[in-house]
Amino acid sequence: WFCDMNKIDVTQKFVYVGFWKRVWATLIDVVVFLPLMPVTLFLMDWTFKNRNILPAAIYGIVWYFLYCFLIVRFGGTPGKLIIKARIVDGNGRYLSWRGTLLRNILPIFMNLNSIAQQYTAISHSPKMSSIGFLEIGEILNQYGGIYTKLSFALCFFLYADVAVLLFNPKKRALHDFIAGSYVVTNKSRMEMLDKSQTN
């Protein structure tokens, strides 16, 4: 953690993307991926009817891989790209796989907890011939065991994440500090990269 006092902090040249713009980016992502919701609902229904977590777990892993790939390859999900924001490291480069995984450590835990909760619920709940989406939620809460309680505890860290974002000048959430990442406007990123290449 020692640093050269003569070294210029290039992150000062970025224009940071704040809370509300990031909310808009998330809402755009929801709209973009909404057509796949029937697949999610079908897999949830199939999982509980057949008491087999494997297809839903594979689907979740594929989704997470796609999410990380978009950040590594393009610097953000469709929502961030549309609002012209990018997720970068301190040098303005897109995150590596390691940085992306660190940035998303909380979602990783939440997804693993969700899979464990579903597995516990389908193992202990009575078998049903017909099940709806609301019933699935009730079964998860009633039979999810300790993983249901853990999901509520993990939500606390989401609030902490937002609180950190709101109260620091570079608009970094807790997960940004963990990964060494910044959410910046693509224009400021490109300007910084152009200047660094000409120097």
Side-chain angles (χ1 to χ4, degrees):
W1 297 102
F2 294 101
C3 61
D4 182 358
M5 297 304 292
N6 295 319
K7 187 177 180 181
I8 298 172
D9 181 7
V10 295
T11 65
Q12 297 290 350
K13 300 179 184 296
F14 290 140
V15 176
Y16 302 100
V17 177
F19 173 74
W20 288 112
K21 283 190 177 180
R22 288 165 85 158
V23 169
W24 275 114
T26 301
L27 292 175
I28 293 169
D29 284 337
V30 170
V31 172
V32 168
F33 293 114
L34 197 59
L36 291 176
M37 183 58 70
V39 178
T40 305
L41 296 177
F42 170 79
L43 281 174
M44 288 289 287
D45 181 65
W46 190 94
T47 294
F48 279 83
K49 283 182 179 176
N50 295 276
R51 295 176 174 270
N52 187 338
I53 194 70
L54 190 60
I58 292 172
Y59 181 70
I61 291 168
V62 170
W63 256 108
Y64 188 74
F65 175 81
L66 174 62
Y67 180 82
C68 291
F69 171 77
L70 291 171
I71 294 173
V72 172
R73 178 66 180 84
F74 301 105
T77 55
K80 283 191 172 60
L81 301 183
I82 288 170
I83 68 165
K84 302 186 186 311
R86 297 295 185 272
I87 303 168
V88 298
D89 64 15
N91 294 310
R93 296 186 298 254
Y94 296 156
L95 298 185
S96 64
W97 278 99
R98 178 181 178 276
T100 301
L101 291 172
L102 282 173
R103 191 174 190 273
N104 293 287
I105 197 73
L106 180 58
I108 288 175
F109 281 123
M110 294 183 80
N111 286 333
L112 290 175
N113 184 70
S114 177
I115 291 170
Q117 182 187 21
Q118 291 176 53
Y119 179 77
T120 303
I122 62 177
S123 300
H124 294 89
S125 63
K127 191 168 185 179
M128 300 181 186
S129 58
S130 179
I131 189 169
F133 189 68
L134 292 177
E135 286 83 4
I136 289 174
E138 291 173 3
I139 291 170
L140 286 172
N141 287 331
Q142 187 174 354
Y143 297 98
I146 191 171
Y147 302 106
T148 299
K149 296 180 178 67
L150 187 56
S151 66
F152 287 112
L154 287 171
C155 287
F156 166 78
F157 290 100
L158 288 178
Y159 292 120
D161 204 39
V162 171
V164 171
L165 186 155
L166 291 172
F167 295 105
N168 70 88
K170 294 184 179 180
K171 308 300 180 187
R172 300 174 80 191
L174 194 57
H175 58 261
D176 289 311
F177 282 103
I178 293 171
S181 62
Y182 303 82
V183 180
V184 304
T185 64
N186 193 45
K187 182 181 178 182
S188 68
R189 170 186 172 268
M190 296 303 296
E191 288 174 352
M192 190 276 285
L193 290 176
D194 288 342
K195 287 178 182 177
S196 64
Q197 288 174 359
T198 55
N199 291 340

